[in-house]
Amino acid sequence: MEYAHPEYLVETHWLQEHLDDPGLRVVDCTHYLPNYFDESAARYIEKLSGRQNHQNGHIPGSVFVDLRDDLCDPSNDRFMYPMCSAAQFASTMSRLGIGPDTRVVLYDDMLNIWAARVWWMLRSFGFERAAVLNGGWKKWVAEGRPVTTTMSTPLPAQFVCRPRAGLIADQVEVLAAIDRGDTCLVHSLDPDEYAGRGAVRYQRPGHIPSSVNVSFLGLVDPDTQAYLPADRLHEQFERVGALAADRVITYCGGAIAACSTAFAMTLLGVKNIGVYDGSMTEWAADLNLPLVVGEAAR
């Protein structure tokens, strides 16, 4: 079985061969959640830019985008990483040298989830010439490919946003989807968080009623961080009924891991996917909204 959209993934050998292409822009999207797996830090998730690590070493010619500072709505303190406005997004992409004809390759140092978030944002604003570096920084370095500390300053471009409907879901749509048999809600964090076990990282534990669980951790090879082959991804989503739904909405804690899940499904050819931007950060904070603790009913 092959990916329906292999063009959305770029392999490390291809990128090394094309680093000098004038129309290519490589973007480091790395961000960190240093205490995410520390149970003593429950309900406070530290957010750390990857800018310093980029300065210490990166793929030659690449530029850095800070998701928190460059691509989040500064007026929204209810979400972890709220989508920014079209104007803010266009300004940031233009500064990075990304225009309508630019070929963009995105990478990160954490399971492709940050690259997938920026990829999903680009797509939601109508840009289709982006791909994720399969395996990201970890695979690049493990293969001994070139690394530099020389910073790049790209010539500004003119990015134009053409927003697409349906790629970003909100609380209203998710609430309505609970009882809709044609929509599959996919919780993208690990099974313990889905079941409400372990650390409580948001205001309340558990998952949104009727949602199924496909963990972002299981979408990639743990050694290379490359996405799994198409047949293995297909099996995971088919098992929970996501491939039979008319619409899929993915969510997690802050709409980052959920973008990797949405990206993986897009590789398989699933079309009608939305990412719930508020995710558990918004949902769990509203005591009027239902949550389920325990395993899935299906």
Side-chain angles (χ1 to χ4, degrees), residues 9-12 106-112 132-143 220-221 223-227:
L9 272 180
V10 159
E11 301 300 330
T12 49
L106 308 159
Y107 77 94
D108 66 38
D109 188 22
M110 192 177 173
L111 300 166
N112 310 313
V132 170
L133 177 63
N134 203 13
W137 177 249
K138 180 174 182 178
K139 190 169 187 286
W140 183 271
V141 172
E143 294 172 346
V220 299
D221 182 293
D223 295 322
T224 66
Q225 298 193 3
Y227 282 99

Side-chain angles (χ1 to χ4, degrees), residues 70-129:
D70 297 333
L71 297 178
C72 284
D73 178 357
S75 69
N76 184 343
D77 60 2
R78 298 177 298 111
F79 298 2
M80 281 186 71
Y81 296 96
M83 281 280 289
C84 64
S85 67
Q88 181 181 341
F89 191 83
S91 175
T92 298
M93 294 299 111
S94 297
R95 175 175 55 80
L96 295 176
I98 298 173
D101 298 322
T102 309
R103 177 81 162 102
V104 178
V105 175
L106 308 159
Y107 77 94
D108 66 38
D109 188 22
M110 192 177 173
L111 300 166
N112 310 313
I113 62 174
W114 306 100
R117 172 63 177 184
V118 178
W119 185 89
W120 199 260
M121 295 180 79
L122 282 162
R123 196 163 193 242
S124 72
F125 285 119
F127 188 86
E128 293 285 353
R129 293 178 55 79

Side-chain angles (χ1 to χ4, degrees), residues 166-247:
L167 274 76
I168 301 297
D170 61 16
Q171 183 189 100
V172 173
E173 183 184 3
V174 173
L175 184 60
I178 290 174
D179 297 319
R180 289 178 61 97
D182 61 351
T183 301
C184 182
L185 300 174
V186 179
H187 179 286
S188 301
L189 298 176
D190 67 65
D192 280 344
E193 286 203 60
Y194 174 81
R197 296 188 295 261
V200 180
R201 297 186 176 90
Y202 312 101
Q203 292 299 313
R204 294 179 290 153
H207 58 270
I208 298 171
S210 84
S211 63
V212 297
N213 182 223
V214 179
S215 172
F216 76 101
L217 295 169
L219 302 178
V220 299
D221 182 293
D223 295 322
T224 66
Q225 298 193 3
Y227 282 99
L228 296 178
D231 57 341
R232 293 180 62 187
L233 292 178
H234 187 278
E235 179 184 358
Q236 293 187 55
F237 292 114
E238 184 178 49
R239 184 173 63 245
V240 298
L243 301 183
D246 292 336
R247 177 155 170 80

Side-chain angles (χ1 to χ4, degrees), residues 9-43:
L9 272 180
V10 159
E11 301 300 330
T12 49
H13 64 84
W14 183 95
L15 181 58
Q16 183 172 352
E17 293 169 0
H18 290 82
L19 282 177
D20 295 327
D21 288 6
L24 179 70
R25 177 69 61 232
V26 182
V27 183
D28 182 353
C29 309
T30 301
H31 203 77
Y32 297 103
L33 304 174
N35 69 339
Y36 186 82
F37 293 102
D38 181 359
E39 293 197 10
S40 66
R43 294 204 175 113

